[in-house]
Amino acid sequence: MLRKLYLLPLILLIALEPLQAMHIMEGYLPLGWCIFWYAVSVPFVFLSYRFIAAQVRREPRRRVDLALASAFVFILSALKLPSVTGSSSHLTGTTLGTLTVGVMAMPLIGTIVLIFQSLLLAHGGISTLGANVFSLAIIGPQAAYLVYVSLSKVISRRSIVVFVATFIGSMATYVTTSIQLAIVFPDPEMGFVGAAGKFLGIFAVTQLPLSVLEAIITVGVIELLEGTRRSALAVVDRAQTLRTLGLSLLALVCLALPVVGGYVDFGSGADDQAGEMVEALATGYEPTPFFEGYEPSEAAEPWLFALQVGIGILIFALAYRAIRRRSKA
C-alpha cells in the first residue's frame, strides 16, 4: 500500500488546480431557502459541538484525532481536479474524520472549514452556508458511515470497505447539491425531475473519477496512520521512515499545487457550469448576494488557497507527531 500511496503525488501533480469556488455560491439561493437550510443544519452543528466536547472531556487525547480530521478536510477541500467531462471539481475529505473521530464530529468541522473559505477566499457563501454544511458535512459523512457499517458486516477487508464508503460519501455530497439547486430552479417543462437530471449531469458525472481518487487517498492515509500507531519501539524503523517521507512528499505537492495551478487553465468548474444552468432554467435570474465579503484578486487567490493548504498541513503534522510519540509511550 505504501508504494501505491507514493504514486499519489504524481497523480496530483498532473491533475490538480486551485479551487475557484465551491458548492452553492453566495447569492444563488433565495433568502427563504437560505433560512430553511440554516434551520436544518444548525441542530446538527450544535449536536456535533456537544459530541466533540464530550469526546474531549472523556478522553483528552482525542484532540489529536480531531485535529487530523480537520486538517484533512482543510487540505483536500482546497484542491480542484479536472474531470473527464471537461469541467472540474474538488475533493471533500470528510470520510477520514467520519471513520476516525465519528460521523457526528463532521458537522462542526465542516462548518469551520466552510466559514474559513467563505470569509477569506470568497468561496461558497455565508447566506448559503446552511445548504453547503448540509451537503458537505451532514449528508456526505452520514452516507459514508452507513455504507461503512453495512459493508463491514459482509466484507472482511477493511481497505475495500473504506474505499467504497469514501466514494459514496463524496458522491452523496454532490448529489445533494444537485437536488438543492433543482428544488429552487425547476425545469420550465419537466419540473424538479428535469432540473435534477441536468444538475446531476454537471455535478455527479464530474465527481465520479474524483471520488475514486479521494477514496484512494483516504485508504492510503488511514493505513499510514494505523501503521504508525502499530509501529514498534525500534530505534530505526524503516517502515515508519517511509511513511513519514510519503506524507511529507504528498504535503509538499499539495502545498505547491495551488500556486502552480494558478497559472494553468483546466477549464470551467462544475460550479460555474451550474451557474450557467441556473441562468438557463430561470431566464433573467440575477444572483443576489446577501453578504458582500472579501473578494481576493486573481493574483492573490492561489496564494490564499495555498495558505489554507498550509494551515491544514501544519495541523496535520503536529497531530501526526503526537501520534508517533503516543505510539512509543
Side-chain angles (χ1 to χ4, degrees), residues 5 8 25 29 66 82 93 101 103 125 137 144 147 179 194 207 237 247 256 268 270-272 315 321 327:
L5 187 64
L8 293 180
M25 293 180 287
L29 287 180
L66 289 164
V101 297
V103 65
V147 170
I179 293 174
Q207 197 64 17
D237 187 347
L247 285 174
S268 62
D271 48 337
D272 297 321
I315 296 172
R321 182 184 180 188
S327 70

Side-chain angles (χ1 to χ4, degrees), residues 227-238 240 323-329:
T228 298
R229 289 187 172 99
R230 292 192 302 264
S231 62
L233 286 172
V235 176
V236 179
D237 187 347
R238 182 172 180 273
Q240 183 57 50
I323 288 178
R324 289 193 58 182
R325 288 182 173 180
R326 184 189 304 172
S327 70
K328 296 179 180 180

Side-chain angles (χ1 to χ4, degrees), residues 147-165:
V147 170
Y148 179 82
V149 171
S150 300
L151 289 183
S152 295
K153 298 177 181 178
V154 295
I155 300 178
S156 58
R157 190 169 180 179
R158 186 165 183 255
S159 59
I160 296 177
V161 178
V162 173
F163 181 94
V164 177

Side-chain angles (χ1 to χ4, degrees), residues 59-97:
E59 189 178 357
R61 292 190 303 178
R62 294 291 282 174
R63 291 191 182 96
V64 174
D65 298 322
L66 289 164
L68 278 173
S70 302
F72 198 68
V73 178
F74 255 91
I75 296 170
L76 264 65
S77 65
L79 302 174
K80 190 175 185 179
L81 297 81
S83 182
V84 293
T85 62
S87 62
S88 52
S89 188
H90 69 97
L91 309 179
T92 65
T94 56
T95 302
L96 180 86

